[in-house]
Amino acid sequence: MSRIRKAVFPVAGLGTRFLPATKAMPKEMLTVVDRPVIQHVVDEAREAGIEHFIFVTGRNKGVIEDHFDKQVELEATLERRGKDRELAELEGSLPGPGQTSFTRQQAPLGLGHAVWCARELVGNEPFALLLPDMVMQDAPGCLKQMLDTYADLAAPANLLAVEEVAPELAHQYGIVGVGETVGRAFRVEGMIEKPAPGTAPSNLFISGRYILQPEIFALLGAHQTGAGGEIQLTDAMIRLAKTQAFYGYQFRGKSFDCGSKIGFLHANVAFALAHEDLATEFRQVLRDLLAEDLG
Ligand code: UTP
């Protein structure tokens, strides 16, 4: 199985659910405790051994490119002031020189279209796709677990991270049908985006991490629109599944949908409670707030 070297991060969405916060600032730069959402997701990819980070950006997203660049003046100032810890933190969070690429999705035509915009940068090799909306909290990270699982599959295969959702909420997600078990994965028997209530083939939803074969690009290039008039990734995957195997992998860990306000707040609380410098004090803050709230 060929190694996965490249990861794609589609960050061109409008983030309308977070307006007005996202009027001038990308939603991917909202912070979960002390780092932007996109940093959490890039860290997950770095931990998995990804070597090239491809961002599909759009208008108002230039700050993401700056975030993953060296800030020479800031670093010099930190050094002068002896702020070694902050300096190490900054240096440690940066992909190396030449390891990032940025391309533009000129109009937000849907996730499938954003992925297609990365085709020249990915080239003819399998790649990882990480939706920055989903922030994972687990060790090892979700993508690392997926790459270990992918290594055992027969080529060419596509692999989707899945997790359980309450059946009454399945209609909000992309759901997979579950076939035979293959090692740590299972064969995906059909996929459906936002099934009508009561018709979902399982309670497992695709949770924002994918390993895809490059043949997906030709299918996305047909620019067929689907739900919401957008070019949908799931539609292209359904077409690809006619010629290539798709597997699902139920990863170990927690995910937070930071594209929604409640998921974003949940992530902040969970990461703060796991933060070595903040946990004790924050736990007391939460206790006091809840005691007040519950009267
Ligand atoms: P979402 O539909 O959750 O993102 O897409 P959105 O459109 O930014 O959010 P809302 O619903 O208006 O609040 C999932 C991911 O796909 C990217 C988004 O940036 C997000 O990371 N995306 C979506 C694109 O890059 N381009 C698109 O045209 C659509």
Side-chain angles (χ1 to χ4, degrees):
M1 202 61 124
S2 56
R3 210 155 57 84
I4 306 294
R5 301 183 311 123
K6 298 181 181 178
V8 174
F9 304 85
V11 292
L14 298 176
T16 54
R17 282 171 287 172
F18 276 93
L19 283 170
T22 48
K23 196 172 158 200
M25 186 183 64
K27 70 171 175 182
E28 297 81 7
M29 290 301 291
L30 296 172
T31 53
V32 171
V33 183
D34 55 3
R35 63 203 62 214
V37 164
I38 187 70
Q39 176 81 57
H40 284 278
V41 182
V42 165
D43 287 348
E44 180 190 331
R46 292 179 75 213
E47 183 213 8
I50 293 296
E51 293 163 12
H52 201 101
F53 303 80
I54 299 167
F55 299 84
V56 181
T57 72
R59 293 174 77 79
N60 280 340
K61 304 281 182 165
V63 66
I64 296 178
E65 192 162 345
D66 292 341
H67 181 77
F68 289 106
D69 194 6
K70 249 181 167 345
Q71 265 265 33
V72 179
E73 287 145 37
L74 175 63
E75 288 178 22
T77 308
L78 291 176
E79 202 169 347
R80 242 189 351 263
R81 293 186 184 168
K83 299 217 167 211
D84 299 339
R85 183 172 164 185
E86 288 81 355
L87 194 58
E89 180 79 37
L90 278 190
E91 283 170 354
S93 64
L94 211 58
Q99 286 192 310
T100 51
S101 295
F102 297 83
T103 187
R104 281 256 185 154
Q105 185 190 23
Q106 292 153 334
L109 301 179
L111 173 61
H113 183 259
V115 175
W116 179 75
C117 289
R119 67 199 180 283
E120 294 293 337
L121 292 168
V122 171
N124 191 28
E125 57 181 281
F127 64 101
L129 169 65
L130 296 93
L131 302 196
D133 277 357
M134 297 303 279
V135 171
M136 311 302 201
Q137 190 185 39
D138 40 40
C142 177
L143 189 62
K144 171 86 174 74
Q145 295 177 41
M146 286 178 79
L147 293 188
D148 292 345
T149 306
Y150 177 76
D152 296 337
L153 298 173
N158 301 272
L159 183 64
L160 313 174
V162 299
E163 62 185 299
E164 280 182 11
V165 61
E168 64 275 15
L169 298 179
H171 64 279
Q172 297 176 9
Y173 295 89
I175 303 286
V176 296
V178 180
E180 60 166 334
T181 302
V182 183
R184 280 169 284 188
F186 62 85
R187 192 80 188 222
V188 168
E189 299 288 351
M191 293 169 248
I192 177 162
E193 188 63 43
K194 301 188 176 61
T199 65
S202 77
N203 65 341
L204 293 178
F205 77 98
I206 305 171
S207 56
R209 301 289 184 268
Y210 312 70
I211 294 171
L212 295 170
Q213 297 296 319
E215 286 75 19
I216 194 79
F217 291 122
L219 297 166
L220 290 169
H223 296 320
Q224 275 182 28
T225 52
E230 294 195 335
I231 299 169
Q232 297 285 356
L233 177 64
T234 309
D235 292 344
M237 292 199 300
I238 290 168
R239 269 175 265 143
L240 186 56
K242 293 187 178 138
T243 55
Q244 282 183 4
F246 270 76
Y247 295 92
Y249 169 65
Q250 203 171 343
F251 67 98
R252 297 179 305 279
K254 279 196 208 125
S255 77
F256 303 94
D257 177 5
C258 289
S260 75
K261 283 182 196 159
I262 197 75
F264 177 71
L265 292 171
H266 192 174
N268 267 289
V269 173
F271 277 78
L273 286 173
H275 194 289
E276 57 173 335
D277 296 340
L278 299 174
T280 309
E281 208 176 325
F282 186 61
R283 192 166 291 116
Q284 191 54 48
V285 168
L286 280 184
R287 272 201 199 103
D288 294 348
L289 273 178
L290 285 174
E292 220 175 283
D293 187 53
L294 299 172

